[in-house]
Amino acid sequence: MLKKSVRYSSVFCFVYFGSYLFNFITLKPKITLKDIARELEVSISTVSKALKNSEEISRDTKEKVQAFARLYNYKPNNIAVSLKNKRTKNIGVVIPDIVHHFFTTVIRGIEKYANAKGYNVIVCLSEESFDKEVINMEMLANGSIDGFIMSLSSETQAKGDYNHLKEVTEQGIPVVLFDRITHEIDCDKVVIDDKLGGYLATKKLIEQGKQRIALIATDDYLSVSKARSQGYTKALLDHGIPVEPSRILKLPTMEMDEDRIRDFFETSDMDAVLCVNEIFAVYSMGLALEKGLKIPEDIAFIGFTDGLLSKYAHPSLTVVAQHGERMGEISAQMLIEKVESENEEETFQTKILEPTLVLRNSTIN
Amino acid sequence: MLKKSVRYSSVFCFVYFGSYLFNFITLKPKITLKDIARELEVSISTVSKALKNSEEISRDTKEKVQAFARLYNYKPNNIAVSLKNKRTKNIGVVIPDIVHHFFTTVIRGIEKYANAKGYNVIVCLSEESFDKEVINMEMLANGSIDGFIMSLSSETQAKGDYNHLKEVTEQGIPVVLFDRITHEIDCDKVVIDDKLGGYLATKKLIEQGKQRIALIATDDYLSVSKARSQGYTKALLDHGIPVEPSRILKLPTMEMDEDRIRDFFETSDMDAVLCVNEIFAVYSMGLALEKGLKIPEDIAFIGFTDGLLSKYAHPSLTVVAQHGERMGEISAQMLIEKVESENEEETFQTKILEPTLVLRNSTIN
DNA sequence: TTGTACGCGTTATCAC
DNA sequence: GTGATAACGCGTACAA
């Protein structure tokens, strides 16, 4: 798109400036070490050292070089530096979806921490597809990133095929899994205690006098949904309430299926509902309102994910907060630590965050 | 983190395989052209050509090389290729925020198109800060990306300082601005017709018999809010309704300010409200419901952004859809076209998308 | 048909 | 103090 064929005149700075300014159509190409060296009639290595304030270089040359560099706004080329250092300062983030509030907050957390450490974040969406997940990882694994932070696609979890992860870790690329994880891969992991979350929520409902508590979840291959369901079951049993299969709806994915939820409400009998995400919950509340039920007196609701929807829904929704941003920060921290650690000792940790119940108006206060 | 000091044995494939497999602790480092060349005792360029199926290379060598490469899963190093081609196949996306649904959908659109074209997306958040925007751009501009897609931070728009954009474009790096744009920079732009959006929404309310239509917007430095406000004003005037300043609330930013909105509702008299985003609108609906008003009979609502909130709120919210995903796709398309075009002719276009009114229950149907 | 040499931009080592 | 040289991994024009 541009070439840099103009010979710089080499008398004074403002003359250089001139030659650059009028370099064809005011195009100011990036300047390199070589350019500086040529203009100042010194060697490339001298320039390199001068810019690093090396003791080897005379005060005089250093000043000259640095002034010139500043004038032309010299910045080292990231790509060249990466090639040299074998460090890209990029983190690859592969997630199933970006429109879900939870993932969005995680990205924000990752971004925040990574940026502070001088890393960039490359985001790839698997869109719940195994193949896309694999392709994205392969693209990035060939030198583009120093490590991965990822949450598995539902298809991957359903399939149980983690070879792409295995390959990457075997190449020595650090990986941090969050939220939707697998125990079949040795790497750092960050999750919230989903089972506990399900337990706390269910317990809360029981304590409020609810006895016929329904559950809207997804099929068990989704690790998080499974854990939440287990918490639900445990809470019921702990309180001597039998688990009634007709009160449990398991949808194939986290995608909204209005018809099936509507059906479920027609046919099932309940005085409270626990949902594995906020969308199911808020939609369900709508159905309850349509039927003329009072929330939370006639029927109470709790969802997962403390998003905008929960906060601004009517009534506002009590939820199990997943602390996505914190999760992102921790993931980034764990990853960067691994990336920057020199030692080979492979010790992996799994960080489990405590879920928090955020009480709002869909439950009795 | 790993070294590749093992000398490969060079008898047969499965022997190579063996040496790799047991290379220290099952670490399989990435293989390079040089490695293949050494093992097969040919030159690097031969390997390079063979892998590209060059006609120059004998069928025999090609097969040998390709087999070996496949066996060890050779993939060219992205960084090296980037350095050579001066093309990174990365797109830098700089946006103010990622938790807003609109930006999220734009990213998805960008990702979709970019990925299909073999590009990765590096996401940076300015978090509405001018400084962060500048820093992020500088980080990426030093070779990390082929071009930028961005939406300006509110601080940048307030300041009116676009030198960081100017620098980048002057270096010949293509830029596409979307949504929050400035006309002071020559580059491609994608927006929706926000003025028209505001107009259509207001007109709709008027047609439904509303006369005291309020507006909740932000200060005018935010380009989109300003345009929406203009549409609102024009619609009122076109229908002979005077613009009543006491019915207009301008908040400093898009951030939620519950107190000020609540105040506004206490003191102002209205039978409909147009809001520049969905959060303001849904929150306002809550206030109206609290006051015992009926929606949409007593008071109707329209917001901007067709997100989850609008869809699942109660009542569901009529909105001006911004078609974020489409916007992202178009932005990516325009950018990639510029990146890949060889010609120097600098012609820039501004694509204006039509907003769409999505009718729901917060207005009369 | 294969190999040599050079360049992309940077850094580090070593020689002068 | 300064500079030449090699190296990171790849690609290609040019020799052989």
Coordinates of all heavy atoms in Angstrom, one line a residue, chain B residues 44-102:
Chain B
I44 N 16.3 -26.0 2.9 CA 15.1 -25.4 3.4 C 14.1 -25.0 2.3 O 12.9 -25.2 2.3 CB 15.4 -24.2 4.3 CG1 16.2 -24.7 5.6 CG2 14.1 -23.5 4.7 CD1 16.5 -23.6 6.5
S45 N 14.7 -24.4 1.3 CA 13.9 -23.9 0.2 C 13.2 -25.0 -0.5 O 12.1 -24.9 -1.0 CB 14.7 -23.0 -0.7 OG 15.9 -23.7 -1.1
T46 N 13.9 -26.2 -0.6 CA 13.3 -27.3 -1.3 C 12.0 -27.7 -0.5 O 11.0 -28.0 -1.0 CB 14.2 -28.5 -1.3 OG1 15.4 -28.1 -2.0 CG2 13.6 -29.7 -2.0
V47 N 12.2 -27.8 0.8 CA 11.1 -28.1 1.7 C 9.9 -27.1 1.5 O 8.8 -27.5 1.2 CB 11.5 -28.1 3.1 CG1 10.3 -28.4 4.0 CG2 12.6 -29.2 3.4
S48 N 10.3 -25.9 1.5 CA 9.3 -24.8 1.4 C 8.5 -25.0 0.1 O 7.3 -25.0 0.0 CB 10.0 -23.4 1.4 OG 9.1 -22.4 1.1
K49 N 9.3 -25.2 -1.0 CA 8.6 -25.3 -2.3 C 7.8 -26.6 -2.4 O 6.7 -26.6 -2.9 CB 9.7 -25.4 -3.4 CG 10.3 -24.0 -3.7 CD 11.4 -24.1 -4.7 CE 12.3 -22.9 -4.7 NZ 13.6 -23.1 -5.4
A50 N 8.4 -27.7 -1.8 CA 7.7 -29.0 -1.9 C 6.3 -28.8 -1.2 O 5.3 -29.4 -1.7 CB 8.5 -30.0 -1.2
L51 N 6.3 -28.1 -0.1 CA 5.0 -28.0 0.7 C 4.0 -27.2 -0.1 O 2.8 -27.3 0.2 CB 5.3 -27.4 2.0 CG 6.0 -28.3 3.0 CD1 6.4 -27.6 4.3 CD2 5.2 -29.6 3.3
K52 N 4.5 -26.3 -1.0 CA 3.6 -25.5 -1.7 C 3.3 -26.2 -3.1 O 2.7 -25.6 -4.0 CB 4.2 -24.1 -2.0 CG 4.5 -23.4 -0.8 CD 4.6 -21.9 -1.1 CE 3.4 -21.1 -0.4 NZ 3.7 -20.7 0.9
N53 N 3.7 -27.4 -3.2 CA 3.4 -28.2 -4.4 C 4.0 -27.5 -5.6 O 3.4 -27.6 -6.7 CB 1.9 -28.4 -4.6 CG 1.5 -29.8 -4.5 OD1 2.3 -30.6 -5.1 ND2 0.4 -30.1 -3.9
S54 N 5.1 -26.9 -5.5 CA 5.8 -26.2 -6.6 C 6.1 -27.2 -7.7 O 6.6 -28.3 -7.5 CB 7.0 -25.5 -6.1 OG 7.9 -25.2 -7.2
E55 N 6.0 -26.7 -8.9 CA 6.3 -27.6 -10.1 C 7.8 -27.9 -10.2 O 8.2 -28.8 -10.8 CB 5.8 -26.9 -11.4 CG 4.3 -26.7 -11.5 CD 3.6 -28.1 -11.4 OE1 4.2 -29.1 -11.9 OE2 2.5 -28.1 -10.9
E56 N 8.6 -27.0 -9.5 CA 10.0 -27.1 -9.6 C 10.5 -28.4 -9.0 O 11.6 -28.9 -9.3 CB 10.7 -26.0 -8.9 CG 10.5 -24.6 -9.5 CD 11.2 -23.5 -8.7 OE1 12.2 -23.8 -8.2 OE2 10.6 -22.4 -8.6
I57 N 9.8 -28.9 -8.0 CA 10.2 -30.0 -7.2 C 9.8 -31.4 -7.8 O 8.6 -31.5 -8.2 CB 9.8 -29.8 -5.8 CG1 10.2 -28.5 -5.2 CG2 10.3 -30.9 -4.9 CD1 11.7 -28.2 -5.2
S58 N 10.7 -32.3 -7.7 CA 10.3 -33.6 -8.2 C 9.2 -34.3 -7.4 O 9.1 -34.1 -6.2 CB 11.6 -34.5 -8.2 OG 11.8 -35.0 -6.8
R59 N 8.4 -35.0 -8.1 CA 7.3 -35.8 -7.5 C 7.8 -36.5 -6.2 O 7.1 -36.5 -5.2 CB 6.8 -36.8 -8.5 CG 5.6 -37.6 -8.0 CD 5.3 -38.6 -9.1 NE 3.9 -39.0 -8.9 CZ 2.9 -38.3 -9.4 NH1 3.1 -37.2 -10.0 NH2 1.6 -38.7 -9.2
D60 N 8.9 -37.1 -6.4 CA 9.5 -37.9 -5.3 C 9.7 -37.1 -4.0 O 9.2 -37.4 -2.9 CB 10.8 -38.4 -5.8 CG 10.9 -39.9 -5.5 OD1 9.9 -40.6 -5.6 OD2 12.0 -40.3 -5.0
T61 N 10.5 -36.0 -4.2 CA 10.8 -35.2 -3.0 C 9.5 -34.6 -2.4 O 9.4 -34.6 -1.2 CB 11.7 -34.0 -3.4 OG1 12.3 -34.3 -4.7 CG2 12.8 -33.8 -2.4
K62 N 8.7 -34.2 -3.3 CA 7.4 -33.6 -2.8 C 6.7 -34.6 -1.8 O 6.3 -34.2 -0.7 CB 6.5 -33.2 -3.9 CG 6.9 -31.8 -4.5 CD 5.7 -31.2 -5.3 CE 5.7 -31.8 -6.7 NZ 4.8 -30.9 -7.5
E63 N 6.6 -35.8 -2.3 CA 5.8 -36.8 -1.5 C 6.5 -37.0 -0.2 O 5.9 -37.1 0.8 CB 5.7 -38.1 -2.3 CG 4.5 -38.0 -3.2 CD 4.4 -39.2 -4.2 OE1 5.2 -40.2 -4.0 OE2 3.6 -39.2 -5.1
K64 N 7.8 -37.1 -0.3 CA 8.6 -37.4 0.9 C 8.4 -36.3 1.9 O 8.0 -36.5 3.1 CB 10.1 -37.5 0.6 CG 10.9 -38.4 1.5 CD 12.2 -38.7 1.0 CE 13.0 -37.5 0.4 NZ 14.3 -37.8 0.0
V65 N 8.6 -35.1 1.4 CA 8.5 -33.9 2.3 C 7.0 -33.8 2.9 O 6.8 -33.6 4.1 CB 8.8 -32.6 1.5 CG1 8.5 -31.4 2.4 CG2 10.3 -32.6 1.2
Q66 N 6.1 -33.9 2.0 CA 4.7 -33.7 2.4 C 4.3 -34.8 3.5 O 3.6 -34.5 4.4 CB 3.8 -33.7 1.2 CG 3.9 -32.5 0.4 CD 3.1 -32.5 -0.9 OE1 2.4 -33.5 -1.1 NE2 3.2 -31.5 -1.7
A67 N 4.8 -36.0 3.2 CA 4.4 -37.0 4.2 C 5.0 -36.7 5.5 O 4.4 -36.8 6.6 CB 5.0 -38.4 3.7
F68 N 6.3 -36.3 5.5 CA 6.9 -36.0 6.8 C 6.2 -34.8 7.5 O 6.0 -34.9 8.7 CB 8.4 -35.6 6.5 CG 9.2 -35.5 7.7 CD1 10.0 -36.6 8.2 CD2 9.3 -34.3 8.4 CE1 10.7 -36.5 9.3 CE2 10.1 -34.2 9.6 CZ 10.8 -35.3 10.0
A69 N 5.9 -33.8 6.7 CA 5.2 -32.7 7.3 C 3.9 -33.1 7.9 O 3.6 -32.6 9.0 CB 5.0 -31.6 6.2
R70 N 3.2 -33.9 7.2 CA 1.9 -34.3 7.7 C 2.1 -35.1 9.0 O 1.4 -34.9 10.0 CB 1.1 -35.1 6.7 CG -0.4 -35.0 6.8 CD -1.1 -35.6 5.6 NE -0.5 -35.2 4.3 CZ 0.1 -36.1 3.5 NH1 0.0 -37.4 3.8 NH2 0.6 -35.7 2.3
L71 N 3.0 -36.0 9.0 CA 3.3 -36.8 10.1 C 3.6 -35.9 11.4 O 3.0 -36.2 12.4 CB 4.5 -37.7 9.8 CG 4.8 -38.7 10.9 CD1 3.6 -39.7 11.1 CD2 6.1 -39.5 10.5
Y72 N 4.4 -34.9 11.2 CA 4.7 -34.1 12.3 C 3.8 -32.9 12.5 O 4.1 -32.0 13.3 CB 6.2 -33.7 12.3 CG 7.1 -34.8 12.6 CD1 7.8 -35.4 11.6 CD2 7.0 -35.4 13.9 CE1 8.6 -36.5 11.9 CE2 7.8 -36.5 14.1 CZ 8.6 -37.0 13.2 OH 9.4 -38.1 13.4
N73 N 2.8 -32.9 11.6 CA 1.8 -31.8 11.7 C 2.4 -30.4 11.6 O 2.2 -29.5 12.4 CB 1.0 -31.9 13.1 CG -0.2 -31.1 13.1 OD1 -0.7 -30.8 12.0 ND2 -0.6 -30.6 14.2
Y74 N 3.2 -30.3 10.5 CA 3.9 -29.0 10.3 C 2.8 -28.0 9.9 O 2.0 -28.2 9.1 CB 4.9 -29.2 9.2 CG 5.4 -27.8 8.7 CD1 6.3 -27.1 9.5 CD2 4.8 -27.2 7.6 CE1 6.8 -25.8 9.1 CE2 5.3 -25.9 7.2 CZ 6.2 -25.3 7.9 OH 6.6 -24.0 7.6
K75 N 2.9 -26.8 10.5 CA 2.1 -25.7 10.1 C 3.1 -24.5 10.1 O 3.8 -24.3 11.1 CB 1.0 -25.4 11.1 CG 0.0 -26.5 11.2 CD -1.1 -26.3 10.2 CE -2.0 -27.5 10.0 NZ -2.6 -28.0 11.3
P76 N 3.0 -23.7 9.1 CA 3.9 -22.5 9.1 C 3.7 -21.6 10.2 O 2.6 -21.4 10.7 CB 3.6 -21.8 7.7 CG 2.4 -22.5 7.2 CD 2.2 -23.8 7.9
N77 N 4.7 -21.0 10.7 CA 4.7 -20.1 11.8 C 4.1 -18.7 11.4 O 4.7 -18.0 10.6 CB 6.1 -19.9 12.4 CG 6.1 -18.9 13.6 OD1 5.5 -17.8 13.5 ND2 6.7 -19.3 14.6
N78 N 2.9 -18.4 12.0 CA 2.2 -17.2 11.6 C 3.1 -15.9 11.7 O 3.0 -15.1 10.8 CB 1.0 -17.0 12.5 CG -0.1 -18.0 12.3 OD1 -0.9 -18.3 13.1 ND2 -0.1 -18.6 11.1
I79 N 3.8 -15.9 12.7 CA 4.6 -14.7 13.0 C 5.7 -14.5 11.9 O 5.8 -13.4 11.3 CB 5.4 -14.8 14.3 CG1 4.3 -14.9 15.5 CG2 6.2 -13.6 14.6 CD1 3.5 -13.7 15.7
A80 N 6.3 -15.6 11.5 CA 7.3 -15.5 10.5 C 6.7 -15.1 9.2 O 7.2 -14.2 8.4 CB 8.1 -16.8 10.3
V81 N 5.6 -15.7 8.9 CA 4.9 -15.3 7.6 C 4.5 -13.9 7.7 O 4.6 -13.2 6.6 CB 3.6 -16.3 7.5 CG1 2.8 -15.8 6.3 CG2 4.1 -17.7 7.3
S82 N 4.0 -13.4 8.8 CA 3.6 -12.0 8.9 C 4.7 -11.1 8.6 O 4.6 -10.1 7.9 CB 3.0 -11.7 10.3 OG 1.8 -12.4 10.5
L83 N 5.8 -11.4 9.2 CA 7.0 -10.5 9.1 C 7.4 -10.5 7.6 O 7.7 -9.4 7.1 CB 8.2 -11.1 9.9 CG 9.4 -10.2 9.9 CD1 9.1 -8.9 10.5 CD2 10.5 -10.9 10.8
K84 N 7.3 -11.6 7.0 CA 7.7 -11.7 5.6 C 6.7 -10.9 4.7 O 7.1 -10.0 3.9 CB 7.7 -13.1 5.1 CG 8.2 -13.3 3.7 CD 9.6 -14.0 3.8 CE 10.7 -13.1 3.3 NZ 10.8 -12.9 1.9
N85 N 5.4 -11.2 4.8 CA 4.4 -10.6 4.0 C 4.0 -9.2 4.4 O 3.3 -8.6 3.7 CB 3.1 -11.4 4.0 CG 3.4 -12.9 3.6 OD1 4.4 -13.2 3.1 ND2 2.4 -13.7 4.0
K86 N 4.4 -8.8 5.6 CA 3.9 -7.5 6.1 C 2.3 -7.6 6.1 O 1.7 -6.6 5.8 CB 4.4 -6.4 5.3 CG 5.9 -6.2 5.5 CD 6.5 -5.3 4.4 CE 7.8 -4.8 4.9 NZ 7.7 -3.7 5.8
R87 N 1.8 -8.7 6.4 CA 0.4 -8.9 6.6 C 0.2 -9.8 7.8 O 0.7 -10.9 7.8 CB -0.2 -9.6 5.3 CG -0.4 -8.8 4.1 CD -1.8 -8.1 4.1 NE -1.8 -7.1 3.1 CZ -2.0 -7.3 1.8 NH1 -2.3 -8.5 1.4 NH2 -2.0 -6.4 0.9
T88 N -0.6 -9.4 8.7 CA -0.7 -10.2 9.9 C -2.0 -11.0 9.9 O -2.1 -12.0 10.7 CB -0.8 -9.3 11.2 OG1 -2.0 -8.5 11.0 CG2 0.4 -8.4 11.3
K89 N -2.9 -10.7 9.0 CA -4.2 -11.4 9.1 C -4.9 -11.2 10.4 O -5.6 -12.1 10.9 CB -4.0 -12.9 8.7 CG -3.7 -13.1 7.3 CD -4.9 -13.5 6.5 CE -4.7 -13.7 5.0 NZ -6.0 -14.0 4.4
N90 N -4.6 -10.1 11.0 CA -5.3 -9.7 12.3 C -6.0 -8.4 12.1 O -5.5 -7.5 11.5 CB -4.3 -9.5 13.4 CG -3.7 -10.8 14.0 OD1 -2.7 -10.8 14.5 ND2 -4.4 -11.9 13.7
I91 N -7.2 -8.3 12.7 CA -7.9 -7.1 12.6 C -8.1 -6.6 14.1 O -8.4 -7.3 15.0 CB -9.4 -7.3 12.1 CG1 -9.3 -7.6 10.6 CG2 -10.2 -6.1 12.3 CD1 -10.7 -7.9 10.0
G92 N -7.7 -5.3 14.3 CA -7.9 -4.7 15.6 C -9.3 -4.1 15.7 O -9.7 -3.3 14.9
V93 N -10.0 -4.5 16.8 CA -11.3 -3.9 17.0 C -11.2 -3.1 18.4 O -10.9 -3.7 19.4 CB -12.4 -5.0 17.1 CG1 -13.7 -4.4 17.5 CG2 -12.5 -5.7 15.8
V94 N -11.4 -1.9 18.3 CA -11.3 -1.0 19.5 C -12.7 -0.4 19.8 O -13.2 0.3 19.0 CB -10.3 0.1 19.4 CG1 -10.2 0.9 20.7 CG2 -9.0 -0.4 19.0
I95 N -13.3 -0.9 20.9 CA -14.7 -0.4 21.2 C -14.7 0.1 22.7 O -13.9 -0.3 23.5 CB -15.7 -1.5 21.0 CG1 -15.3 -2.8 21.8 CG2 -15.9 -1.8 19.6 CD1 -16.3 -3.9 21.7
P96 N -15.7 0.9 23.0 CA -15.8 1.5 24.3 C -16.1 0.5 25.4 O -15.8 0.7 26.5 CB -16.9 2.5 24.2 CG -17.1 2.7 22.7 CD -16.8 1.4 22.1
D97 N -16.8 -0.6 25.0 CA -17.5 -1.4 26.0 C -17.9 -2.7 25.4 O -18.2 -2.7 24.2 CB -18.7 -0.6 26.5 CG -19.4 -1.4 27.6 OD1 -18.8 -2.3 28.2 OD2 -20.5 -1.0 28.0
I98 N -17.9 -3.7 26.2 CA -18.3 -5.0 25.6 C -19.5 -5.6 26.3 O -20.1 -6.5 25.8 CB -17.1 -6.0 25.7 CG1 -17.3 -7.1 24.7 CG2 -16.9 -6.5 27.1 CD1 -16.2 -8.1 24.6
V99 N -19.9 -4.9 27.3 CA -21.1 -5.5 28.0 C -22.4 -5.0 27.4 O -23.4 -5.6 27.5 CB -21.0 -5.2 29.5 CG1 -22.2 -5.7 30.2 CG2 -19.8 -5.9 30.1
H100 N -22.3 -3.9 26.6 CA -23.5 -3.5 25.9 C -23.8 -4.4 24.8 O -23.0 -4.8 24.0 CB -23.3 -2.1 25.3 CG -23.8 -1.0 26.3 ND1 -23.2 -0.8 27.5 CD2 -24.7 0.0 26.2 CE1 -23.8 0.2 28.1 NE2 -24.7 0.7 27.3
H101 N -25.1 -4.8 24.7 CA -25.5 -5.8 23.7 C -25.1 -5.4 22.3 O -24.7 -6.2 21.5 CB -27.0 -6.0 23.9 CG -27.5 -7.0 22.9 ND1 -28.0 -6.7 21.7 CD2 -27.6 -8.4 23.0 CE1 -28.4 -7.8 21.1 NE2 -28.2 -8.8 21.9
F102 N -25.3 -4.1 22.0 CA -25.0 -3.7 20.7 C -23.6 -4.0 20.2 O -23.4 -4.6 19.2 CB -25.3 -2.2 20.5 CG -24.8 -1.6 19.3 CD1 -25.4 -2.0 18.0 CD2 -23.7 -0.7 19.2 CE1 -24.9 -1.4 16.9 CE2 -23.3 -0.2 18.1 CZ -23.9 -0.6 16.9

